[in-house]
Amino acid sequence: MKTTRHSRRRLGGGKTVPSDPASTPNPPPRQRRQRAFTLIEIILALALVGMMAAVLVGGSARMLSDKPETADDVFWKSVAAARKRALLAGRDVRLGYVDDRENGKRFTIGEGADLKAFPVTAAPPDLAVNFMSAQKVVGSVVILAGQVVETQSLPYVTFYGDGTCTAFRIQIRAGVDAHVLSIDPWTCAQVLVPTDSFPR
């Protein structure tokens, strides 16, 4: 029996296939081409990774910043709210501080039914906040536990509809630690005290 170059072998079911790989018909070009990522797929993957990173970083930053607010933080938040309300309403808005057993320590803006409270949740039990005149009153200063403390206080300060406020100082005291912030009447921001630490 003659052997041919392309001998066939018999498969189950009576089908025959060529045994020579060279005689196998070429697969279509789509099957021959190797699968690779397109530029669009790479860009979409990078965008997805970037969005996930932004969500994770933002969430972790929020978790880290969930520390209790100090009295200073709550004060500046209430100042911003009082000034904004005065500007939007075009009328005077009062900012005060209340400390009672029933509702705790809190800054308040407005009056009556229009009152909004800003509680100082992380306040130490001996926290004391006093609004004082911009000018020091003679005879209103005492020494308390080695700290200079002023005793002449204002019941509230006023924010006006033109964006200005009463010129005042605020004294925040907890135990023996006390500090005073001077507030500029034109910007309602802290007055920066010049120091001699800068080179001349």
Side-chain angles (χ1 to χ4, degrees), residues 11 23 37 63 118 132 138 145 151 158-159 168 171 187 192 194:
L11 292 175
S23 64
F37 293 108
M63 284 173 55
F118 295 83
M132 301 171 299
V138 177
T151 57
T158 306
F159 290 79
F168 69 97
Q171 177 179 257
T187 62
L192 299 177

Side-chain angles (χ1 to χ4, degrees), residues 32-55:
R32 245 188 332 189
R33 192 172 33 182
Q34 291 183 349
R35 181 73 179 134
F37 293 108
T38 63
L39 182 60
I40 292 177
E41 289 172 334
I42 293 172
I43 290 173
L44 287 175
L46 290 174
L48 184 62
V49 168
M51 287 184 349
M52 289 174 59
V55 168

Side-chain angles (χ1 to χ4, degrees), residues 93-124:
V93 173
R94 291 180 176 180
L95 169 65
Y97 178 76
V98 180
D99 182 2
D100 58 31
R101 291 180 184 268
E102 186 179 327
N103 297 313
K105 303 172 190 302
R106 65 200 184 279
F107 289 93
T108 60
I109 61 171
E111 299 175 85
D114 198 28
L115 189 73
K116 183 175 180 182
F118 295 83
V120 185
T121 54

Side-chain angles (χ1 to χ4, degrees), residues 51-75:
M51 287 184 349
M52 289 174 59
V55 168
L56 290 174
V57 168
S60 60
R62 275 194 300 276
M63 284 173 55
L64 291 173
S65 67
D66 281 347
K67 60 182 181 184
E69 289 183 313
T70 63
D72 288 60
D73 297 332
V74 179
F75 165 68

Side-chain angles (χ1 to χ4, degrees), residues 83-160:
R83 188 170 187 237
K84 181 179 179 181
R85 182 182 285 191
L87 282 166
L88 292 175
R91 61 181 175 80
D92 297 356
V93 173
R94 291 180 176 180
L95 169 65
Y97 178 76
V98 180
D99 182 2
D100 58 31
R101 291 180 184 268
E102 186 179 327
N103 297 313
K105 303 172 190 302
R106 65 200 184 279
F107 289 93
T108 60
I109 61 171
E111 299 175 85
D114 198 28
L115 189 73
K116 183 175 180 182
F118 295 83
V120 185
T121 54
D126 57 352
L127 177 71
V129 175
N130 296 311
F131 294 111
M132 301 171 299
S133 169
Q135 307 299 324
K136 288 188 180 181
V137 179
V138 177
S140 67
V141 177
V142 296
I143 304 279
L144 183 63
Q147 291 281 332
V148 177
V149 176
E150 292 191 45
T151 57
Q152 197 82 16
S153 62
L154 304 171
Y156 58 85
V157 293
T158 306
F159 290 79
Y160 305 107

Side-chain angles (χ1 to χ4, degrees), residues 159-172:
F159 290 79
Y160 305 107
D162 61 356
T164 61
C165 64
T166 307
F168 69 97
R169 291 175 299 129
I170 181 170
Q171 177 179 257
I172 300 174

